[in-house]
Amino acid sequence: KNMKLKAKQAEMKLIEERVRLKEEALQKSQAQLEEDGMRFDAFLQEIDAKVQTLDKELEEEERLIAEREVTIKCLQEQIREEKQKCKDLRRQVQIGRKYKNFLGELTPPEHAEANSKKREAEVKAIIQVEPCLNPDDIEIEEIMYFTRPEQLREIFNKEEESNLFSMQNLQENEDRLEHVRRIFEKSKTALESKVNHVGKTVGELRKKL
């Protein structure tokens, strides 16, 4: 009986030792599991923080892109306006050159010659002070012959009178030419009639001979 009791006691101790070891192993596994869970939660929190940061950065980038698009549109509109202004200015310059050339043609030669001499004298004076300057690059303000709108009107009136006089002379010359043509036609008709009459007379005389 004592042997059996001792054997059972030894067996119980062995079972208890095994149970203790399993409990310790289970506790270690549970502690490891909890530690892994905490690490996973920390990892998820880190990922979530990174996602939030990326979302904010993306929103900021989208805002900057939208602002840049608005800025680009404004700049494109300004460029179009500036191009149109340049186009209008070129047109005005061309018109101004045409008017300048037109006024130059109407300017009396003596005034143009006086301007030319004035420019030469002023250019020479400037070159003496600044020898490095190119004479062609020096701009000298010309004295305009036309200073009043009435001057153009006066010239146009004179031109109109001259044209009217020329038209009258032309009409008179055409009338004279028509008169001369009529006289020529009458003279030609009379001459042809005389020639025919002389021809008939000559023929009759020949027959009599």
Side-chain angles (χ1 to χ4, degrees):
K1 290 182 178 179
N2 288 331
M3 292 292 290
K4 288 182 180 180
L5 182 60
K6 288 180 180 179
K8 286 183 179 180
Q9 287 177 348
E11 186 178 357
M12 288 293 294
K13 286 182 179 180
L14 182 61
I15 291 171
E16 287 176 356
E17 183 65 20
R18 289 178 179 174
V19 170
R20 187 182 64 77
L21 291 174
K22 286 184 178 181
E23 286 179 350
E24 288 179 357
L26 182 62
Q27 287 176 359
K28 288 181 180 180
S29 297
Q30 188 173 359
Q32 185 67 34
L33 183 62
E34 289 177 356
E35 185 179 353
D36 290 342
M38 291 175 65
R39 288 178 181 174
F40 186 71
D41 289 340
F43 174 73
L44 290 178
Q45 290 177 0
E46 183 180 357
I47 294 297
D48 186 59
K50 289 182 179 180
V51 169
Q52 290 180 0
T53 302
L54 289 174
D55 286 339
K56 290 181 180 179
E57 291 178 355
L58 181 61
E59 289 178 358
E60 180 66 17
E61 189 67 24
E62 289 177 348
R63 185 185 66 81
L64 291 175
I65 290 173
E67 289 181 355
R68 287 170 187 164
E69 288 179 350
V70 172
T71 302
I72 289 171
K73 288 181 180 179
C74 292
L75 289 174
Q76 288 175 341
E77 183 64 27
Q78 291 178 4
I79 290 172
R80 282 194 292 270
E81 291 178 356
E82 291 301 322
K83 285 183 177 179
Q84 185 61 40
K85 288 180 181 178
C86 290
K87 187 177 180 180
D88 294 338
L89 285 174
R90 288 194 191 98
R91 189 182 299 112
Q92 291 178 7
V93 169
Q94 290 176 352
I95 294 173
R97 286 175 178 171
K98 288 181 180 178
Y99 280 123
K100 183 179 179 181
N101 294 334
F102 173 70
L103 293 177
E105 292 175 356
L106 296 178
T107 300
E110 56 272 15
H111 182 83
E113 185 178 355
N115 261 335
S116 178
K117 291 181 179 179
K118 173 179 174 294
R119 186 183 188 285
E120 290 179 1
E122 292 185 5
V123 168
K124 286 181 181 179
I126 293 173
I127 293 296
Q128 288 178 354
V129 179
E130 296 289 341
C132 296
L133 291 178
N134 186 350
D136 295 333
D137 296 334
I138 300 175
E139 294 185 0
I140 303 297
E141 185 178 358
E142 296 183 359
I143 300 175
M144 296 296 295
Y145 176 76
F146 295 97
T147 57
R148 296 176 294 104
E150 292 78 8
Q151 288 176 277
L152 281 175
R153 191 177 299 112
E154 292 170 0
I155 290 178
F156 289 147
N157 289 336
K158 290 180 181 179
E159 289 295 326
E160 188 175 3
E161 291 176 359
S162 176
N163 290 337
L164 182 60
F165 179 74
S166 298
M167 291 175 65
Q168 290 175 348
N169 286 338
L170 179 62
Q171 185 64 41
E172 291 177 359
N173 290 331
E174 287 179 350
D175 293 341
R176 291 174 183 172
L177 180 62
E178 183 64 24
H179 179 68
V180 170
R181 187 181 291 112
R182 288 176 183 174
I183 293 174
F184 174 76
E185 291 294 333
K186 288 181 180 179
S187 300
K188 180 181 177 183
T189 303
L191 182 60
E192 288 177 350
S193 178
K194 288 181 180 180
V195 169
N196 291 332
H197 179 70
V198 171
K200 288 180 180 180
T201 304
V202 171
E204 291 175 354
L205 289 175
R206 284 178 179 176
K207 287 179 182 180
K208 291 179 180 181
L209 292 175

